[in-house]
Amino acid sequence: MKKNIFIVALLAAALGLTSCGEYNKLLKSTDYEYKYEAAKSYFAKGQYNRAATLLNELIAILKGTDKAEESLYMLGMCYYNEQDYQTAAQTFIQYYQVYPRGTYTELSRFHAGKALFLDTPEPRLDQSSTYKAIDELQMFMEYYPQSAKHQEAQQMIFELQDKLVMKEYLSAKLYYNLGNYMGNNYQSCVITAQNALKDYPYTNLREDLSILILRAKYELAVYSVEERKQERYREAVDEYYAFKNEFPESKYLKEAERIFSKSQAELGEGSTEEEVTE
């Protein structure tokens, strides 16, 4: 049994060496038709690194032919399948710029956006690439409104927007937690959260952003100079009514009612939490 395993291992090694030898010969060959067919064969077998090496050479040599067009698209898919999404996106963008009415233009626009989508960082990091991915996917949808991939592109845009909202939410929450440390961070919290709601009115984080605004407005009143306190407590009360009206069954409702009661007490209007609940 061990002897058979050893023989199989030797055969596999020999085949590997033969394959490497053939590939090295192929790299040196000037038979570009043969290289093109070999690149397609490697691509079909999932040997994307080898295919990409050949395709990079062939694109310039086959320029002006339909093979150059297909080679450029295949090259993009090689990078995409190897999860080199930045290079894949650049290659797909190059394709649709060179071949605006090409055979693979629709797919290139889609995969350019999807590659950028797959390369976006988690919400706490810089989101420049997220904006770029959204732009690319929106362009795809504008160019191909009837595409079979339209719904997938739309879903990716929603997910990217959720990521942008989450970044704004985390920023607003950080401002709130910083409080009065080195400045009026409560006001920054309010502005950041309000801008997020304005830019993304249908976000799933709408309730969380809204309670953050209410909390921050109350803290602004607490730490205000005496001549601004009444005005800011009234702003907190107004914010409470807006919050309760939009989220009558909110998980934050008890907290919102406590803020309301404290604000009313500071205003000398004396509403209790029980009265608010009724």
Side-chain angles (χ1 to χ4, degrees):
M1 182 67 178
K2 289 182 179 178
K3 184 178 179 181
N4 289 339
I5 292 172
F6 179 69
I7 291 170
V8 170
L10 283 175
L11 287 171
L15 286 170
L17 287 171
T18 302
S19 176
C20 287
E22 289 177 356
Y23 180 66
N24 288 330
K25 287 180 182 178
L26 184 62
L27 290 175
K28 298 174 184 177
S29 174
T30 56
D31 186 344
Y32 300 116
E33 185 68 32
Y34 176 54
K35 278 189 172 181
Y36 171 72
E37 293 302 327
K40 291 179 70 174
S41 177
Y42 283 130
F43 182 85
K45 293 175 184 176
Q47 295 176 280
Y48 301 117
N49 281 328
R50 288 187 172 187
T53 300
L54 295 172
L55 291 168
N56 267 307
E57 178 187 4
L58 290 168
I59 288 165
I61 293 168
L62 300 174
K63 188 175 181 180
T65 71
D66 58 344
K67 291 182 175 64
E69 181 182 341
E70 185 178 41
S71 294
L72 186 56
Y73 176 71
M74 275 198 297
L75 180 61
M77 290 306 299
C78 284
Y79 291 131
Y80 181 87
N81 289 323
E82 285 290 297
Q83 298 182 10
D84 183 355
Y85 296 124
Q86 277 293 328
T87 310
Q90 291 167 10
T91 306
F92 289 128
I93 291 169
Q94 180 186 352
Y95 176 94
Y96 71 66
Q97 288 176 342
V98 175
Y99 305 105
R101 294 181 178 81
T103 305
Y104 306 101
T105 302
E106 179 180 343
L107 288 172
S108 288
R109 282 193 174 275
F110 173 77
H111 280 110
K114 188 169 184 178
L116 291 171
F117 164 80
L118 292 169
D119 197 54
T120 54
E122 59 100 4
R124 293 181 188 276
L125 302 177
D126 177 70
Q127 294 299 307
S128 299
S129 59
T130 301
Y131 287 106
K132 188 174 180 181
I134 290 173
D135 289 343
E136 202 65 45
L137 288 165
Q138 285 178 333
M139 279 198 298
F140 165 75
M141 292 174 65
E142 289 173 12
Y143 275 93
Y144 302 100
Q146 303 304 319
S147 173
K149 296 188 177 293
H150 189 277
Q151 187 172 351
E152 185 180 353
Q154 182 68 76
Q155 183 58 40
M156 284 190 282
I157 290 173
F158 288 151
E159 290 181 33
L160 291 168
Q161 289 176 338
D162 286 344
K163 187 174 288 191
L164 294 176
V165 177
M166 176 57 75
K167 182 172 179 62
E168 293 304 300
Y169 171 70
L170 292 173
S171 296
K173 195 172 181 181
L174 176 61
Y175 282 129
Y176 180 82
N177 290 336
L178 286 172
N180 288 317
Y181 178 72
M182 295 183 70
N184 189 346
N185 294 296
Y186 292 122
Q187 186 63 42
S188 297
C189 170
V190 171
I191 292 170
T192 302
Q194 286 178 335
N195 285 340
L197 289 173
K198 181 180 178 181
D199 293 338
Y200 307 102
Y202 303 109
T203 175
N204 292 330
L205 289 172
R206 187 172 182 84
E207 183 178 351
D208 302 275
L209 286 162
S210 297
I211 190 63
L212 206 50
I213 293 170
L214 176 56
R215 290 171 185 161
K217 284 194 171 184
Y218 172 74
E219 296 297 337
L220 268 173
V222 171
Y223 292 104
S224 285
V225 293
E226 201 60 41
E227 56 266 27
R228 296 292 304 277
K229 280 185 177 292
Q230 292 287 302
E231 173 192 349
R232 286 184 166 168
Y233 276 120
R234 285 197 174 87
E235 287 177 0
V237 168
D238 291 343
E239 195 65 38
Y240 161 78
Y241 283 123
F243 180 85
K244 187 176 182 182
N245 184 59
E246 185 170 359
F247 307 105
E249 305 296 328
S250 174
K251 59 186 175 182
Y252 300 115
L253 193 57
K254 286 186 178 180
E255 178 188 358
E257 288 172 346
R258 284 195 295 272
I259 291 172
F260 173 75
S261 294
K262 289 177 181 178
S263 298
Q264 289 285 73
E266 292 293 334
L267 289 167
E269 297 177 11
S271 296
T272 66
E273 184 176 346
E274 289 74 16
E275 288 172 337
V276 171
T277 306
E278 291 174 2

